[in-house]
Amino acid sequence: MVRKCVFLAVLGLLMLLVAGCSSQANELSYGNILYETGVSAGESIPGTELKYVGLADGRAQVLIKGQQAAKQKGDSLSWKGSVRDDVDLELALRVLWYTEDTLRVAGTAKVTVRNPNPVKAEIPEDAPLHFANAPVVYTVKRGDYIPGTTLEYLERSEEGAKLGGVDGYPYFKTGDSVVWEGQIHDGVYLQLNVRVGVITEGTLTLAGTANLWILPQ
């Protein structure tokens, strides 16, 4: 009982603080993703127009959409654009450190996917863009799908929430984990790991994280 109360308290806090994935069928939005990456001189962050040129006068020289900018440690480095058709990426980064050969940045990312079409598929874990542990909170109506998945909330029962599209036992009690992996758009893959919160006749609440892999065009 104590564990259940703690879980529900954490779930409630997440619902207040987290901007999770949109429940709209035609758009999925994953925000507040912590992101860190390194870029070699002469290369760009995959799918973006952020290119590290190298060092000059002790500062990192970066091309942002073709325009040159000189950056020092702690300086901002932002970009917004499309990495695939119907797939937008926003990066709000800061320079961590740099050498003649490498630029290291960190910050947050937001991924928006329009017109998703979830299907089960193997995830290409070597995809150039990988965003881990995006926080998500969902309230799913009975008869609707958990956003970005092929899992449908069917009903509440004595065994817990019954989900359609599950391989095997379809019932999940409060605190149980629900995991789904697959493709949500051409070149975009999702691994969803959430836990069941409040179960009612009309809705199912879940909270957890999403991992995204993207193959830029």
Side-chain angles (χ1 to χ4, degrees):
M1 179 61 72
V2 173
R3 181 180 178 184
K4 178 179 178 180
C5 291
V6 170
F7 174 78
L8 292 177
V10 173
L11 176 62
L13 183 61
L14 280 171
M15 293 182 70
L16 290 174
L17 298 179
V18 173
C21 178
S22 170
S23 62
Q24 298 181 22
N26 64 345
E27 183 176 287
L28 302 171
S29 181
Y30 303 89
N32 298 321
I33 310 171
L34 297 179
Y35 182 61
E36 181 177 341
T37 190
V39 186
S40 298
E43 296 184 353
S44 303
I45 294 177
T48 77
E49 296 170 286
L50 288 176
K51 182 178 181 179
Y52 181 45
V53 178
L55 281 182
D57 298 325
R59 293 186 292 177
Q61 304 300 313
V62 183
L63 290 180
I64 305 174
K65 294 186 176 181
Q67 296 182 311
Q68 188 162 332
K71 298 291 183 177
Q72 300 186 98
K73 291 180 181 179
D75 284 353
S76 65
L77 192 60
S78 301
W79 186 83
K80 180 179 179 179
S82 297
V83 293
R84 295 189 62 91
D85 292 339
D86 291 331
V87 182
D88 295 336
L89 173 63
E90 294 182 39
L91 296 176
L93 307 173
R94 292 277 175 179
V95 175
L96 290 180
W97 54 264
Y98 49 86
T99 66
E100 184 176 348
D101 300 320
T102 305
L103 172 69
R104 194 75 184 179
V105 295
T108 60
K110 179 182 178 181
V111 178
T112 302
V113 181
R114 295 181 297 278
N115 303 312
N117 182 31
V119 294
K120 291 184 178 181
E122 185 176 349
I123 292 176
E125 296 188 356
D126 59 347
L129 284 173
H130 174 44
F131 302 98
N133 299 318
V136 292
V137 176
Y138 307 124
T139 297
V140 183
K141 294 181 179 179
R142 182 175 177 179
D144 285 352
Y145 290 88
I146 298 173
T149 79
T150 56
L151 304 177
E152 180 185 4
Y153 177 41
L154 298 177
E155 63 180 357
R156 182 180 71 173
S157 71
E158 293 182 358
E159 291 83 4
K162 183 178 181 181
L163 299 181
V166 175
D167 294 329
Y169 191 72
Y171 297 98
F172 298 82
K173 293 183 180 293
T174 296
D176 285 351
S177 61
V178 179
V179 178
W180 186 89
E181 295 184 353
Q183 180 176 277
I184 58 174
H185 191 282
D186 290 341
V188 184
Y189 299 82
L190 168 69
Q191 179 189 70
L192 185 71
N193 192 338
V194 292
R195 289 190 180 272
V196 174
V198 179
I199 306 170
T200 72
E201 291 289 347
T203 61
L204 171 64
T205 304
L206 310 102
T209 59
N211 292 332
L212 297 166
W213 289 262
I214 302 176
L215 300 171
Q217 285 180 316

